[in-house]
């Protein structure tokens, strides 16, 4: 099928952002023009991405946490059936700086702190994240995909890309590589990023990432 563009949802969780992308009107109707009060809309979607445009885009959804896999797959299947679009779900897969595999820490209490940055899901006695507590036993191994190579391959199809990046501290390294390679400016038209405190972020590639040789698995189907 032909895709008018590609929404790359990194940190897709159970599919809430995907659902909003395909179902919620844009809050902004034009430059400095907002919807009137009382109109249900999503603040994330700008005027240049109105709902009827977004509904013609395909999506690539990355979620490394295996606890979210089944719900994310069900959400994507419902959206595909309703809108006639294609959503590729990359389950147990983290967008990172290299192709390979890595140890992934699971935040079993809140879920939102699960990441390649294992210290981010550690809790102290007051349930504060990243407070120097010992990392627990809730870890798993996930596949990692080189963000630069992946987005470059999508961009070469000639489709616009909108990227949502919510990767619990790995955003600095991913964005650095995307900017240094030119892929961010060349291929990504719209970008949303959840930033975390720099001291809680990666300094270089996460040490748990075990690089692999580039393969066809690194490219979208």
């Amino acid at each position: 099928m032909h895709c008018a563009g590609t929404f790359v949802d990194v940190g897709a969780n159970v599919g809430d952002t995907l659902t909003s992308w395909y179902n919620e009107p844009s809050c902004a109707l034009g430059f400095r023009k907002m919807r009137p009060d009382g109109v249900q809309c999503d603040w994330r979607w700008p005027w240049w991405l109105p709902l009827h445009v977004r509904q013609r885009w395909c999506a690539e959804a990355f979620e490394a946490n295996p606890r979210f896999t089944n719900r994310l797959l069900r959400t994507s299947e419902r959206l595909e059936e309703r809108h006639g679009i294609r959503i590729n779900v990359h389950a147990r897969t983290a967008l990172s700086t290299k192709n390979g595999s890595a140890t992934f820490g699971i935040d079993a209490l809140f879920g939102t702190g699960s990441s390649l940055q294992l210290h981010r899901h550690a809790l102290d006695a007051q349930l504060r994240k990243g407070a120097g507590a010992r990392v627990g036993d809730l870890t798993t191994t996930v596949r990692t995909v080189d963000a630069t190579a992946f987005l470059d391959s999508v961009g070469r199809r000639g489709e616009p890309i909108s990227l949502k990046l919510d990767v619990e501290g790995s955003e600095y390294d991913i964005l650095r590589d995307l900017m240094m390679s030119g892929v961010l400016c060349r291929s990504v038209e719209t970008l949303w990023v959840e930033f975390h405190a720099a001291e809680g972020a990666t300094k270089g590639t996460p040490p748990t990432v075990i690089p692999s040789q580039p393969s066809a698995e690194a490219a979208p189907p």
Side-chain angles (χ1 to χ4, degrees), residues 95-96 116-117 167-175 196 201-202 206:
L95 208 65
S96 185
L116 295 177
Q117 319 313 317
V167 286
E168 297 296 324
S170 295
E171 63 273 9
Y172 297 93
D173 286 339
I174 292 175
L175 288 173
H196 298 82
T202 316

Side-chain angles (χ1 to χ4, degrees), residues 66-132:
R67 296 186 170 203
F68 299 150
T69 297
N70 290 337
R71 291 178 63 188
L72 177 58
L73 287 171
R74 288 196 296 269
T75 297
S76 65
E77 289 170 359
R78 288 195 299 267
L79 292 170
E80 285 182 320
E81 182 177 356
R82 178 175 180 180
H83 299 291
I85 41 84
R86 184 185 73 240
I87 301 175
N88 295 321
V89 174
H90 305 266
R92 299 181 66 99
T93 303
L95 208 65
S96 185
T97 56
K98 293 181 180 180
N99 294 324
S101 61
T103 302
F104 184 81
I106 299 175
D107 173 5
L109 188 60
F110 299 109
T112 56
S114 304
S115 71
L116 295 177
Q117 319 313 317
L118 301 185
H119 64 282
R120 291 193 62 81
H121 89 290
L123 305 173
D124 66 6
Q126 284 72 48
L127 303 183
R128 296 175 301 180
K129 293 183 184 179

